[in-house]
Amino acid sequence: MKLNLILSTVAALAMSSVAANAEALRLLTWGGYAPDEVIELFEAQTGHTVEVTKSNNEEMIAKLRATNGGGFDLAQPSQDRIAGPQAEFEIYKPLDMSKIDASLFIPSMLEATKGNTMIGDDVFAVPHVWGTSGLVVNTAMAPDVLDYTDLCNESVAGKVSYRLKRPTLIGFAFAMGLDPFAAYGDEAAYADILSQVEAKLVDCKPHVKTYWDGGDELKNLMRSGEIVAAMAWDTGGWQLNDDNADITFVAPKSGALGWIDTFVLPARGRADEAAYAWINFVMQPEIAAMITTSAGNFTASQGGDAGVDDALKAKYQASFPQEAIDNIKWYPSVPAGLEALEGAALDRINAAN
């Protein structure tokens, strides 16, 4: 009886200690990244509570600018929306990497995000949810399409499609052996790369069935067989695979183009411990699988694909063996002025005969 009383007292003291140290985590995130069942597990395990505000990149930056980095304790902008806004508005604060379990992350993604969000010696973000654009191919009808420039092969003439958008310029540049991201700091060098890519895309123009605009348009073209290869997103390729086993997403030889939505600490957040606890919690493989199911995209969790639906996991693993993951070209921040150069090049390509 006395022992039971002592154990009950210890348990009560432990629970009161957790409650006393608990914080309310104000999370600024995307739809699907913080599903209710994950929040419930986190709250039960840590004692912290979670308040979710759903947003997008533009709104996140606007909200944090309006409050000088206040109002939220953890935010999830894409990695190309961190270094620039931080340099201009100082809306984030550096991460304490000693409080983040690096072993939970896919190493190449963690290092890429750290590198792309560093200012001086400070790291401002770690990766969470990611996706890519690359090739969606009918492998039975276009087996030789393995890189972006293969969309210009004679064997698929008149049966390919891509968008006239900046990812096409970037993808073709890499496939041509150029490195557009390395030239971001040199406008003249970047203009030279764009000139070479523009010439290639003008030469390729007769091979293009149409320049697609929306995902539904692309899917219909692939399903009907009007096109057999395209530059598009990974999730679109996997969805088409449900209808036709020959169609799937192919990571290009020169590297898929990757985006990453990250974790950052707003400058005036007041619940850092809860924020670090959330990061380490959701990067656990079993929790990451729940988020993939909710969001439709995979996370940077090491082994996080293991608990995903078998069909989606098989598609992911077929498209992304480890070497393809390590070869992803992650979008860095775009310096001022480059998008205007890209827009002019795209206009000229569109107008060319």
Side-chain angles (χ1 to χ4, degrees), residues 113-310:
T113 301
K114 287 167 59 179
N116 284 329
T117 65
M118 283 188 82
I119 299 178
D121 295 328
D122 293 324
V123 173
F124 282 85
V126 292
H128 186 211
V129 177
W130 65 279
T132 69
S133 60
L135 298 168
V136 174
V137 180
N138 185 319
T139 55
M141 302 182 73
D144 60 336
V145 176
L146 301 174
D147 212 340
Y148 303 105
T149 49
D150 292 338
L151 294 171
C152 303
N153 291 351
E154 288 297 329
S155 60
V156 290
K159 293 188 175 183
V160 302
S161 184
Y162 43 80
R163 295 189 303 162
L164 277 184
K165 300 289 184 181
R166 72 181 308 264
T168 301
L169 299 174
I170 299 297
F172 268 70
F174 277 115
M176 293 167 65
L178 306 170
D179 189 341
F181 295 161
Y184 267 14
D186 185 336
E187 188 170 311
Y190 194 70
D192 180 62
I193 288 174
L194 286 180
S195 177
Q196 296 178 62
V197 173
E198 179 182 333
K200 178 67 174 177
L201 288 170
V202 169
D203 286 344
C204 190
K205 197 168 183 178
H207 290 69
V208 180
K209 172 73 175 179
T210 186
Y211 297 123
W212 66 270
D213 286 318
D216 288 341
E217 177 189 5
L218 172 67
K219 291 174 190 174
N220 289 335
L221 288 166
M222 291 292 298
R223 288 183 180 119
S224 69
E226 291 180 77
I227 64 171
V228 296
M231 185 174 174
W233 298 296
D234 47 21
T235 50
W238 297 331
Q239 289 165 5
L240 284 165
N241 187 256
D242 292 334
D243 303 325
N244 184 337
D246 290 329
I247 302 174
T248 192
F249 178 82
V250 174
K253 288 194 300 184
S254 59
L257 303 178
W259 55 265
I260 296 179
D261 292 333
T262 68
F263 291 114
V264 299
L265 295 179
R268 295 172 58 213
R270 60 182 186 225
D272 287 0
E273 292 308 313
Y276 287 118
W278 176 265
I279 294 170
N280 290 327
F281 181 79
V282 301
M283 294 309 294
Q284 297 175 92
E286 62 274 17
I287 304 299
M290 296 170 68
I291 292 173
T292 292
T293 299
S294 172
N297 287 98
F298 286 84
T299 77
S301 168
Q302 182 81 283
D305 60 310
V308 175
D309 168 80
D310 286 344

Side-chain angles (χ1 to χ4, degrees), residues 71-132:
F72 299 94
D73 307 300
L74 187 63
Q76 297 209 248
S78 299
Q79 72 167 0
D80 59 347
R81 307 300 182 94
I82 296 171
Q86 175 61 15
E88 190 171 359
F89 309 119
E90 297 185 345
I91 54 178
Y92 309 124
K93 57 187 169 187
L95 292 173
D96 182 348
M97 293 303 297
S98 71
K99 295 183 178 180
I100 293 175
D101 185 351
S103 70
L104 294 171
F105 295 79
I106 295 171
S108 61
M109 292 190 191
L110 179 60
E111 291 308 309
T113 301
K114 287 167 59 179
N116 284 329
T117 65
M118 283 188 82
I119 299 178
D121 295 328
D122 293 324
V123 173
F124 282 85
V126 292
H128 186 211
V129 177
W130 65 279
T132 69

